Amino acid sequence: MNGEKFKIYRKILAGSGILFSSNAIASFLGFIVLVVIAKKISIEEFGVIGIIQSYTLTVGTLLNFQTWQTIIKYYPRIKNNSELVQSLLKYSFRLDFITAIIAFVFGIGLLELVYQTINLPEIYKHCAQIHLLSILTKLNGTATGYLRVLDKYHLFFKSQVIAGFVKLSLVMLVLWMNLEFVYIIVAFVFAEVTYDIVLNISFYNVLKEDSLHRFLNKKISLIKEKYKDIFDFSLYTNFISSFDTIIFQADVLIVSGFFGVSYAGCFKMIKVIVGLINRLSGPLSITISPIVSEFIAENKLKELRSNLLKSFLFLSILLGMGFGVFLLLDELIVELVFSKEYLQYIYYLDFAIFNLFVGIVFMGIHPVTNFLGYHRQVLYIIIVLSLLYLSLIYLFSSSVGFEIVFIAQLVQISMVILSKLYLSNKKLDLITIPKLSTS
């Protein structure tokens, strides 16, 4: 048993270590890009970049299905049957392709209304149209899921590093040649497309090694008896991610709508720092998901419960100390990386980091509730709490001010976690309440 536990921890550490390295390099390169840009343009223009990226990510996440979760859930159950694996891959890739096109068309169609609402110049709308092109290459949900379940994390390293260097090189070239704002967006698009292409080429090479590269062949039929179940899971998990988007990707749009472009620039600064920390913690979440799926597929719920509770305790202690260190260094970080102009927003940055750490402590509960079969209930919870988040901002933006964005975030994140703990407790007994003696 101890040997098996050690194997699990080693698997998590190995996968997390590779992804941490790639995320660290990619985040550092992306961080340099945004810092260089922020020093060259105004806060308002920096806010526009955030709005454009936020819009594309929102549309993409809303309509381009997150099929990697489907692969992670069902692969452990069928991994010994190559025909079923190919059927699963075929179904997943079809969803990637169809939903990418739908997302792009929807994004172009809705763009005019969005830009009229936030009242930005025509040139920025054209920039957003260019950035939306990156959605068309987002066919990597299947690749992401398959490479994760096989622990091929080094391929994500390669894709992220190559894309990061492409972005840095192109942005530096644009700034050196003193080109117009639109070329910064073009550089971003080229970097994102590069990541998608490199990852899918790597995915194809792995499939070739496994003799699965012909999964799109017409002779491979879909999994008929599981079709409804798989589609149901894909649909619900995608909508869960979509409504999470309101908090984590559409927030710049929300801020610009309620508080103006200047505050959007401030919020973009906050997202740069929060995003850097989030990306560095992301590898742990990514490597946990396939292991959670295996535990549930093999009905090892006691082991899952034990490891989940240990993760809560360990991350609480680690991130508690980390937050204390950040509070000591926050002003220095903002002044060195951005400028003194951004120091007026330091309180909001601290609040955002606190919210992020609360979410990271309980990151393990998210795949658990999905893979235990509670994806329907989670979707309803996310919808209600996302509406609560928007309602709090709408009702209190005038009286409370910009701070309400972060208060609403904390309320939403906390209630999502408590709801998921309640659902998972039904099968895992995470919280055992002793019965009172009647004697």
Side-chain angles (χ1 to χ4, degrees):
M1 183 63 71
N2 289 333
E4 188 175 344
K5 284 185 178 181
F6 178 74
K7 184 178 178 182
I8 292 168
Y9 295 141
R10 186 174 61 183
K11 187 176 180 180
I12 293 174
L13 289 173
S16 297
I18 294 171
L19 282 176
F20 179 84
S21 301
S22 66
N23 277 5
I25 295 172
S27 297
F28 179 70
L29 293 173
F31 192 65
I32 292 175
V33 167
L34 290 173
V35 167
V36 170
I37 292 173
K39 290 181 180 293
K40 291 286 185 180
I41 63 178
S42 66
I43 291 181
E44 286 76 14
E45 287 179 316
F46 196 58
V48 169
I49 291 177
I51 291 169
I52 290 172
Q53 290 180 313
S54 180
Y55 180 74
T56 301
L57 287 169
T58 300
V59 172
T61 307
L62 183 66
L63 296 172
N64 194 357
F65 276 22
Q66 310 296 301
T67 54
W68 63 268
Q69 296 194 66
T70 304
I71 300 293
I72 287 176
K73 177 175 181 177
Y74 290 99
Y75 178 81
R77 295 159 172 78
I78 60 173
K79 61 184 178 182
N80 295 322
N81 187 322
S82 63
E83 186 173 346
L84 289 180
V85 170
Q86 289 181 84
S87 295
L88 179 63
L89 294 174
K90 181 178 181 179
Y91 168 79
S92 180
F93 191 80
R94 280 182 175 181
L95 274 182
D96 286 336
F97 182 76
I98 294 169
T99 56
I101 293 174
I102 292 172
F104 174 74
V105 172
F106 180 84
I108 292 292
L110 188 64
L111 189 59
E112 183 67 36
L113 176 62
V114 171
Y115 271 72
Q116 284 180 359
T117 303
I118 58 181
N119 195 27
L120 286 176
E122 188 79 6
I123 181 62
Y124 295 136
K125 186 181 78 172
H126 297 319
C127 292
Q129 289 171 337
I130 292 170
H131 199 262
L132 281 168
L133 290 170
S134 62
I135 290 178
L136 292 174
T137 60
K138 296 298 178 192
L139 309 177
N140 52 22
T142 304
T144 299
Y146 189 71
L147 295 177
R148 284 180 182 176
V149 294
L150 294 184
D151 297 331
K152 302 286 186 180
Y153 295 110
H154 64 285
L155 298 176
F156 295 100
F157 180 98
K158 180 175 74 173
S159 304
Q160 286 187 323
V161 171
I162 291 173
F165 275 109
V166 167
K167 180 186 282 188
L168 179 61
S169 302
L170 290 177
V171 167
M172 294 300 290
L173 181 63
V174 167
L175 296 176
W176 178 67
M177 296 180 68
N178 200 26
L179 297 177
E180 296 177 359
F181 179 85
V182 65
Y183 289 98
I184 295 176
I185 303 302
V186 172
F188 280 25
V189 171
F190 266 104
E192 290 171 33
V193 170
T194 298
Y195 174 82
D196 296 331
I197 291 173
V198 173
L199 187 66
N200 275 296
I201 290 174
S202 301
F203 169 54
Y204 179 80
N205 290 334
V206 171
L207 288 178
K208 207 167 183 180
E209 292 174 5
D210 297 342
S211 300
L212 298 173
H213 60 291
R214 299 186 184 277
F215 70 92
L216 290 175
N217 192 307
K218 292 182 180 179
K219 294 180 181 179
I220 303 297
S221 60
L222 294 174
I223 312 173
K224 300 294 183 182
E225 67 275 12
K226 285 286 186 181
Y227 179 81
K228 187 179 182 302
D229 184 35
I230 293 174
F231 181 79
D232 181 79
F233 179 79
S234 301
L235 183 69
Y236 277 91
T237 51
N238 180 71
F239 282 131
I240 289 168
S241 298
S242 298
F243 280 95
D244 275 344
T245 296
I246 294 174
I247 304 298
F248 298 109
Q249 292 173 5
D251 43 14
V252 178
L253 284 173
I254 294 167
V255 167
S256 65
F258 281 100
F259 302 100
V261 178
S262 294
Y263 273 101
C266 150
F267 201 77
K268 179 62 179 174
M269 176 273 293
I270 291 171
K271 280 183 70 78
V272 169
I273 296 175
V274 170
L276 178 64
I277 297 172
N278 194 33
R279 287 194 69 179
L280 294 178
S281 67
L284 187 59
S285 174
I286 289 169
T287 52
I288 283 174
S289 291
I291 294 170
V292 167
S293 181
E294 285 185 24
F295 271 129
I296 294 172
E298 297 170 8
N299 202 31
K300 296 180 178 178
L301 299 186
K302 287 185 178 179
E303 291 90 334
L304 177 59
R305 175 187 181 277
S306 174
N307 285 288
L308 199 59
L309 291 174
K310 287 176 184 176
S311 75
F312 295 161
L313 178 61
F314 173 74
L315 289 173
S316 296
I317 297 171
L318 180 66
L319 294 177
M321 294 188 295
F323 186 65
V325 172
F326 183 83
L327 290 177
L328 295 174
L329 301 175
D330 53 1
E331 291 187 12
L332 178 64
I333 292 169
V334 171
E335 190 171 350
L336 286 176
V337 173
F338 292 94
S339 66
K340 289 183 178 179
E341 190 178 5
Y342 288 89
L343 286 175
Q344 60 184 307
Y345 304 117
I346 199 76
Y347 165 70
Y348 304 121
L349 173 62
D350 294 338
F351 206 150
I353 294 295
F354 177 79
N355 291 347
L356 173 67
F357 283 2
V358 170
I360 292 175
V361 167
F362 295 96
M363 67 167 66
I365 200 64
H366 304 306
V368 169
T369 47
N370 281 344
F371 298 146
L372 281 174
Y374 292 117
H375 42 277
R376 287 174 181 266
Q377 294 91 326
V378 170
L379 175 60
Y380 304 145
I381 290 167
I382 295 294
I383 291 173
V384 171
L385 294 180
S386 296
L387 292 174
L388 174 63
Y389 167 78
L390 292 173
S391 299
L392 288 173
I393 296 175
Y394 176 75
L395 293 172
F396 299 104
S397 58
S398 298
S399 57
V400 177
F402 191 43
E403 186 178 2
I404 189 60
V405 174
F406 305 97
I407 295 173
Q409 276 185 359
L410 182 59
V411 170
Q412 198 264 1
I413 291 169
S414 301
M415 293 186 71
V416 166
I417 291 169
L418 289 172
S419 300
K420 290 185 176 183
L421 286 171
Y422 172 76
L423 290 173
S424 301
N425 193 57
K426 294 179 180 180
K427 293 185 179 180
L428 297 183
D429 291 327
L430 293 172
I431 305 167
T432 305
I433 302 174
K435 294 182 179 179
L436 296 174
S437 176
T438 56
S439 58

